[in-house]
Amino acid sequence: MTSVTTRYPSRERRTRLRDTLEGYAFISPWLVGFFAFTFFPILASLYFAFTDYDLLSPPVFTGLSNFRALLRDDLFWKSLGVTFQYAFVSVPLRLAFALAVAMLLNMNLRFVGFYRAVYYIPSLIGGSVAVAVLWRRIFMKDGIVNMILGSLGIHSEVSWIGNPRTALLTLILLAAWQFGSSMLIFLAGLKQIPRSYYEAAHIDGANPFQRFIHITIPQLTPLIFFNLVMQLINGFTIFTQAYIVGGPSGDPMNSTLVYALQLYKKAFEFYQMGYASAMAWVLLLIIAVFTALIFKSSYLWVHYEAKEG
Amino acid sequence: MNYRQTTRILRSVLTHAVVILLGYVMIYPVLWMIASSLKENSEIFASASLIPRVPSFEAYVRGWKGVGGVSFATFFGNSFFYSTMATVGTLLSSSLVAYGFARIRFRGRAFWFTCMLLTMMLPYQIVMIPQYILFFKLGWVNTFAPLIVPTFFGQPFFIFLMIQFIRGIPLELDESAKIDGCSRFTTFRHIIFPLMSPALVTSAIFQFYWKWDDFLGPLLYLNRPVHYTVSLALRMFSDPTTSTDWAAIFAMGTLSLVPIFLIFMFFQRYLVEGITVSGLKG
């Protein structure tokens, strides 16, 4: 008897040890990758941020000088401003389009599957270089946009991508054009709102606008919240479209010089790895602050079903 | 026909008209690119019409010759190789890791899981430079290794997607396999892995199509035209200082979108599910 009672816990402990070993064996690919490609690189990046490093000679510790240089660098501030403008205009615009079209397609329409596909296609191909090249061409002086405006009687001789005042706008439009993924998410969300809510509101005499404000929006806030966080991060790190539409130097007159582009140039054109690492850390801090702000504020505006029950 | 029916039909016609008109505006740039690839250069910027005067595939022939003496056959081959290898790596490693997180209770699981979720929020820029230095020191620059090897170490986004899926598979299956004497790995290999196929297909589609479109990775690591992927080649091809053969550029641009369209047509269901389940970016 005693042998049974003493063997029991030890067998349990053995299986627990076995589970732990097996668990680590299964996650080991990620664990190794995490240390090799994320954790140590982050530490290295933190170290480089305080050094002068040109890739060929060893890094030289310089303390805070990269950060001081950053604060005095006009291009750093310019790129920060361009990125904020881009993110804070394109993300809300994209979400608004996504919601509007999702509501339109949520009506009982024939061919709705086909329409959904048509609206999703720009997002499907939006990340490709082909579309960025196309976009650049569309907004040139003799491009299709001016051609269409001309046929409507609005004669414009400006090159949209060549004008510092409108170049960023073309990038924002490109982002807004690709609202498809958010639209699909909103569409799925809309389908989950119980019809009875709308019927009850209808009986109470609420008009369509009131129903939208008091039922649709609150029910979608968890999705809006999630989309806002993810797209803001994407917006802050936009690179490919800017590189191709505005060109590698952020032309004209740095009007499309987004943050990631400036960082890339510092690292891989000027080989100022330390300075670029400092920029990467500033970017990380900015993203962390905004993500935290959205998370903190979510208690005020994100509506979860569980709270009501 | 009474009044109510009339207004209903009118409303339906109006809605369709709005949806179609808006849809046309959305899709017009893409149609215009495809149409332009079939036009002559002189015709492209002469009218906004989508119908070429005399459709011709000459631009495809000119474009296929490529840049720097390397043809698009090489670029497409490179893109297929790189995207396929990255997809294989992601599926093999991420499914293994997902099974570990979803099915095995081990010490530290919650901690590592949180770490993994946090890395999904990290901007690539924070690891870009040290990773480049690492691969530079390993002598991997100008090879596909920096773009492929990391995918064999699990990708958090796909691991997360697969975990969610595995949680929907009944636990009894694992337990009965255990009673039958299956090891953990056999259970994974012969029972869970085959059952995961919807999640695997979804992940494969996304990974292939992200890698196909990827620009920054190839830009960092591939500097010789023989290694260029389609994205890189298109960018070089359309460099405003060297080329103005827009019909050829649009022809190659159109071709570069073909694999993506094919995937979309055949796997639409998985794509839409993947987006709505995970709430992905676009």
Side-chain angles (χ1 to χ4, degrees), chain B residues 201-226:
Chain B
V201 173
T202 306
S203 303
I205 295 165
F206 277 110
Q207 183 65 318
F208 186 88
Y209 131 64
W210 283 344
K211 292 295 169 183
W212 183 267
D213 272 353
D214 186 21
F215 178 71
L216 181 55
L219 180 69
L220 284 175
Y221 291 108
L222 307 173
N223 302 316
R224 297 190 189 125
V226 285

Side-chain angles (χ1 to χ4, degrees), chain A residues 111-139:
Chain A
F111 317 118
V112 79
F114 172 73
Y115 293 143
R116 205 172 59 181
V118 167
Y119 284 96
Y120 180 64
I121 281 173
S123 309
L124 179 74
I125 58 176
S128 67
V129 169
V131 166
V133 169
L134 168 72
W135 209 256
R136 179 180 167 81
R137 195 63 194 81
I138 282 176
F139 284 96

Side-chain angles (χ1 to χ4, degrees), chain A residues 97 101 104 118-119 179, chain B residues 17-27:
Chain A
F97 277 137
V101 175
L104 196 64
V118 167
Y119 284 96
F179 59 72
Chain B
V18 170
V19 173
I20 290 172
L21 196 75
L22 216 67
Y24 184 68
V25 173
M26 287 289 289
I27 205 90

Side-chain angles (χ1 to χ4, degrees), chain A residues 214-285:
Chain A
H214 295 292
I215 300 171
T216 312
I217 291 283
Q219 290 285 318
L220 288 181
T221 42
L223 292 179
I224 296 175
F225 165 70
F226 184 79
N227 272 282
L228 198 62
V229 174
M230 295 316 281
Q231 297 201 4
L232 213 54
I233 296 177
N234 283 336
F236 280 133
T237 53
I238 184 205
F239 177 81
T240 303
Q241 286 88 340
Y243 186 98
I244 288 159
V245 176
S249 349
D251 292 331
M253 289 170 69
N254 302 319
S255 59
T256 58
L257 185 73
V258 293
Y259 198 88
L261 197 54
Q262 170 68 1
L263 196 160
Y264 171 86
K265 277 170 63 182
K266 280 288 176 192
F268 298 101
E269 265 176 39
F270 304 109
Y271 292 99
Q272 298 179 8
M273 297 293 176
Y275 186 94
S277 297
M279 277 189 80
W281 273 90
V282 172
L283 178 67
L284 184 66
L285 285 178

Side-chain angles (χ1 to χ4, degrees), chain A:
Chain A
M1 276 303 267
T2 45
S3 74
V4 171
T5 46
T6 50
R7 265 182 67 192
Y8 228 82
S10 84
R11 183 191 283 169
E12 203 172 74
R13 205 184 301 151
R14 260 212 317 268
T15 47
R16 219 187 302 153
L17 181 70
R18 219 185 118 155
D19 275 353
T20 297
L21 288 177
E22 284 181 339
Y24 279 95
F26 271 96
I27 70 160
S28 62
W30 171 75
L31 214 51
V32 171
F34 170 72
F35 282 105
F37 304 122
T38 307
F39 185 72
F40 287 121
I42 290 179
L43 288 188
S45 162
L46 185 60
Y47 169 65
F48 292 144
F50 297 99
T51 64
D52 251 353
Y53 187 26
D54 64 359
L55 202 61
L56 296 173
S57 40
V60 180
F61 190 82
T62 55
L64 284 170
S65 77
N66 281 329
F67 292 93
R68 272 199 293 270
L70 224 113
L71 295 179
R72 285 193 306 265
D73 186 347
D74 288 343
L75 285 182
F76 163 77
W77 290 108
K78 177 75 191 174
S79 68
L80 204 58
V82 168
T83 307
F84 272 67
Q85 260 183 36
Y86 171 81
F88 289 124
V89 180
S90 75
V91 173
L93 210 58
R94 199 170 174 169
L95 290 182
F97 277 137
L99 184 57
V101 175
M103 303 229 354
L104 196 64
L105 294 184
N106 194 39
M107 289 192 260
N108 265 329
L109 278 185
R110 231 189 270 194
F111 317 118
V112 79
F114 172 73
Y115 293 143
R116 205 172 59 181
V118 167
Y119 284 96
Y120 180 64
I121 281 173
S123 309
L124 179 74
I125 58 176
S128 67
V129 169
V131 166
V133 169
L134 168 72
W135 209 256
R136 179 180 167 81
R137 195 63 194 81
I138 282 176
F139 284 96
M140 281 183 179
K141 193 169 151 193
D142 59 347
I144 196 82
V145 167
N146 279 348
M147 221 187 282
I148 291 170
L149 286 177
S151 69
L152 295 174
I154 308 159
H155 291 281
S156 161
E157 280 298 308
V158 290
S159 160
W160 298 81
I161 54 152
N163 183 341
R165 283 168 57 195
T166 51
L168 187 62
L169 184 72
T170 65
L171 275 179
I172 289 171
L173 279 176
L174 178 55
W177 184 55
Q178 297 158 10
F179 59 72
S181 306
S182 311
M183 175 195 77
L184 291 179
I185 296 167
F186 285 147
L187 208 51
L190 285 172
K191 295 219 183 299
Q192 281 178 354
I193 304 176
R195 281 189 72 89
S196 57
Y197 288 15
Y198 289 107
E199 281 155 12
H202 198 77
I203 292 166
D204 289 346
N207 63 34
F209 179 73
Q210 287 169 327
R211 276 175 283 176
F212 174 72
I213 293 292
H214 295 292
I215 300 171
T216 312
I217 291 283
Q219 290 285 318
L220 288 181
T221 42
L223 292 179
I224 296 175
F225 165 70
F226 184 79
N227 272 282
L228 198 62
V229 174
M230 295 316 281
Q231 297 201 4
L232 213 54
I233 296 177
N234 283 336
F236 280 133
T237 53
I238 184 205
F239 177 81
T240 303
Q241 286 88 340
Y243 186 98
I244 288 159
V245 176
S249 349
D251 292 331
M253 289 170 69
N254 302 319
S255 59
T256 58
L257 185 73
V258 293
Y259 198 88
L261 197 54
Q262 170 68 1
L263 196 160
Y264 171 86
K265 277 170 63 182
K266 280 288 176 192
F268 298 101
E269 265 176 39
F270 304 109
Y271 292 99
Q272 298 179 8
M273 297 293 176
Y275 186 94
S277 297
M279 277 189 80
W281 273 90
V282 172
L283 178 67
L284 184 66
L285 285 178
I286 291 172
I287 288 178
V289 166
F290 277 100
T291 310
L293 277 178
I294 299 174
F295 266 91
K296 285 269 179 221
S297 76
S298 70
Y299 298 104
L300 299 174
W301 63 275
V302 176
H303 168 100
Y304 289 106
E305 215 43 18
K307 270 188 193 163
E308 277 200 335

